[in-house]
Amino acid sequence: MERKEKNPIELYDPGMRPNETYDGSIRWYSPMERPFQISGLAWFAQERIYRRLPNLPSGAIPEAVDRLADHTAGGQIRFQSDSSSLSVRVKLKGKANMVHMPATGQCGIDCYVGSPDTLLPLRYCNTTKYDLTLTEYECALFTNWNASMRNIVLNLPLYQGVEEIWIGLDEGASITAPPSYASGKKVVIYGTSITQGGCASRPGMAYTNILSRRIPLEFINLGFSGSGKGEPEVAKIISQINDPACMVIDYEGNCVSTELFRKTLPEFIRIYREAHPVTPILVVSRIRYAREELTPQLYETRIERKRFEQSLVNELREQGDLNIYFFDGSGSLGEDFFECTVDGSHPTDLGFLRMADALEPVLKTLFL
């Protein structure tokens, strides 16, 4: 693939250049084939496409949700190999085009490695840095490493669809299946652009992906940017995901109005509970936005909705549902919350790290 003429920054600082391609002997593999494993895409095993909801859902869903389901937030490619190099070749559904989120987060892939046959811990390795004017790219994520077996996890793009991915490894390298999760249960998280990963600098820094590196279960990211509104049709589809360890509901930030929220949240819970009578449900109120202290109405609306969520959970528990819980997300970013976002509402990597820190002990209490 040809690149445009280098921009001045690339000339001055080699560290700002896109990743080079590897000129050694590579064999390309489809991660759709064994022993590679695709995680985080609940319908992948049946449909074999990189998508977060069924390609042909059983009922109508909003057009925006349908389009955003093509974004591969939370999707992971997992395997083990003793290859001394790792490259990826990617065909995206579209170009990087976001004004306040890097192409590395929107369309990139990042890589984590760990000890063989051990699920955790994982350590960050590298991110695909490519010519963002392209919809297809090839990047080397590591080269000239020791040829020893290692556990590898690739996190897929947060805000773009993926048509094809190919994994490039040394000719003759061994490839084996990844370590097994602690169980077959899945942590399902439904929410907004923040859940989807806006605006992480790279995929591994979305808070659901951070949590997946701390909790030995598969995580399903069902955040729909601007479009997580608790529609009953979406609740019915989400309830089709088998073996949930927990259902996290965090869509307050996309509410059109408090009145609508009062209608959709109880119905969303009812639909989900009908399919999963004893699965823990965690209702999460939204993080604080930077401008709240300057905009009293924004603050008052958040408080009003938080009180509603608390009262609804308390009411359901009084009615006998002892597996539903409320988590106050307003403190997740810490006292200096105003330093943790790109634009006042969407977290930076620091914000996502703090969100994961806040949720981790709660989730572990619920199902580990």
Side-chain angles (χ1 to χ4, degrees):
M1 284 176 269
E2 294 185 2
R3 293 191 60 245
K4 299 186 304 180
E5 182 180 347
K6 290 183 179 179
N7 68 48
I9 300 301
E10 293 177 30
L11 296 174
Y12 306 149
D13 185 348
M16 297 297 179
R17 295 173 187 168
N19 296 18
E20 300 293 334
T21 57
Y22 181 50
D23 58 4
S25 179
I26 296 179
R27 179 176 176 183
W28 292 98
Y29 297 86
S30 169
M32 291 190 175
E33 304 301 327
R34 294 181 178 178
F36 295 93
Q37 182 182 102
I38 305 295
S39 297
L41 304 178
W43 285 268
F44 181 84
Q46 301 98 302
E47 300 193 348
R48 313 291 289 173
I49 57 175
Y50 301 110
R51 180 175 159 87
R52 293 185 293 153
L53 291 178
N55 192 41
L56 296 173
S58 54
I61 59 175
E63 180 182 356
V65 173
D66 187 48
R67 288 178 176 272
L68 291 165
D70 283 333
H71 295 179
T72 51
Q76 297 178 340
I77 300 171
R78 304 172 63 243
F79 62 102
Q80 298 189 122
S81 178
D82 61 1
S83 180
S84 67
S85 70
L86 170 63
S87 298
V88 293
R89 184 182 289 164
V90 184
K91 182 178 180 181
L92 302 167
K93 286 183 178 290
K95 295 181 181 180
N97 57 8
M98 297 182 72
V99 297
H100 64 329
M101 183 172 179
T104 47
Q106 182 186 0
C107 302
I109 291 174
D110 64 9
C111 174
Y112 281 76
V113 300
S115 300
D117 301 316
T118 304
L119 190 65
L120 303 173
L122 293 164
R123 295 289 180 263
Y124 171 69
C125 165
N126 200 0
T127 307
T128 55
K129 304 184 295 293
Y130 72 100
D131 182 344
L132 55 78
T133 66
L134 303 175
T135 57
E136 298 183 46
Y137 63 83
E138 178 182 331
C139 290
L141 289 167
F142 62 78
T143 60
N144 301 314
W145 283 17
N146 292 330
S148 57
M149 190 64 72
R150 53 185 61 89
N151 180 27
I152 299 173
V153 175
L154 303 177
N155 294 295
L156 301 186
L158 298 172
Y159 263 78
Q160 188 52 271
V162 172
E163 296 279 4
E164 296 179 8
I165 302 177
W166 295 88
I167 308 298
L169 302 171
D170 295 348
E171 191 74 44
S174 296
I175 310 168
T176 62
S180 299
Y181 289 114
S183 77
K185 290 186 173 295
K186 308 168 187 68
V187 182
V188 183
I189 304 182
Y190 171 71
T192 66
S193 55
I194 294 174
T195 305
Q196 185 170 336
C199 292
S201 67
R202 54 184 178 82
M205 291 310 295
Y207 81 86
T208 61
N209 282 335
I210 296 173
L211 287 168
S212 78
R213 296 192 294 276
R214 300 178 178 183
I215 296 173
L217 294 176
E218 182 177 4
F219 277 71
I220 307 295
N221 182 322
L222 295 176
F224 299 104
S225 192
S227 306
K229 298 179 180 179
E231 298 95 342
E233 300 86 354
V234 176
K236 290 175 184 176
I237 292 172
I238 293 174
S239 68
Q240 295 171 10
I241 298 174
N242 294 325
D243 298 323
C246 180
M247 176 71 215
V248 180
I249 302 174
D250 183 13
Y251 73 90
E252 176 196 328
N254 278 171
C255 295
V256 176
S257 66
T258 301
E259 291 71 27
L260 183 60
F261 192 40
R262 291 179 180 275
K263 294 179 181 178
T264 59
L265 183 58
E267 181 64 3
F268 191 102
I269 293 170
R270 186 196 66 77
I271 291 169
Y272 192 81
R273 182 54 85 215
E274 190 173 74
H276 302 282
V278 296
T279 297
I281 295 176
L282 183 66
V283 177
V284 179
S285 65
R286 75 161 174 82
I287 61 172
R288 285 181 285 183
Y289 295 161
R291 294 181 295 277
E292 283 188 12
E293 294 183 349
L294 305 174
T295 312
Q297 185 176 359
L298 194 60
Y299 168 80
E300 291 166 3
T301 298
R302 178 176 63 77
I303 295 300
E304 179 185 21
R305 293 176 181 178
K306 184 178 78 169
R307 287 173 177 165
F308 161 65
E309 291 166 282
Q310 287 176 307
S311 64
L312 175 61
V313 169
N314 289 338
E315 179 182 339
L316 292 172
R317 289 182 66 84
E318 289 172 1
Q319 292 174 3
D321 187 349
L322 300 182
N323 288 318
I324 189 166
Y325 307 87
F326 172 76
F327 177 76
D328 184 354
S330 65
S332 296
L333 300 184
E335 290 301 317
D336 55 348
F337 62 94
F338 45 84
E339 301 284 16
C340 295
T341 69
V342 172
D343 54 4
S345 56
H346 294 96
T348 59
D349 291 357
L350 172 63
F352 281 125
L353 187 64
R354 290 186 176 179
M355 289 181 69
D357 288 343
L359 280 168
E360 179 185 358
V362 178
L363 293 178
K364 286 181 174 178
T365 299
L366 292 183
F367 52 73
L368 291 183

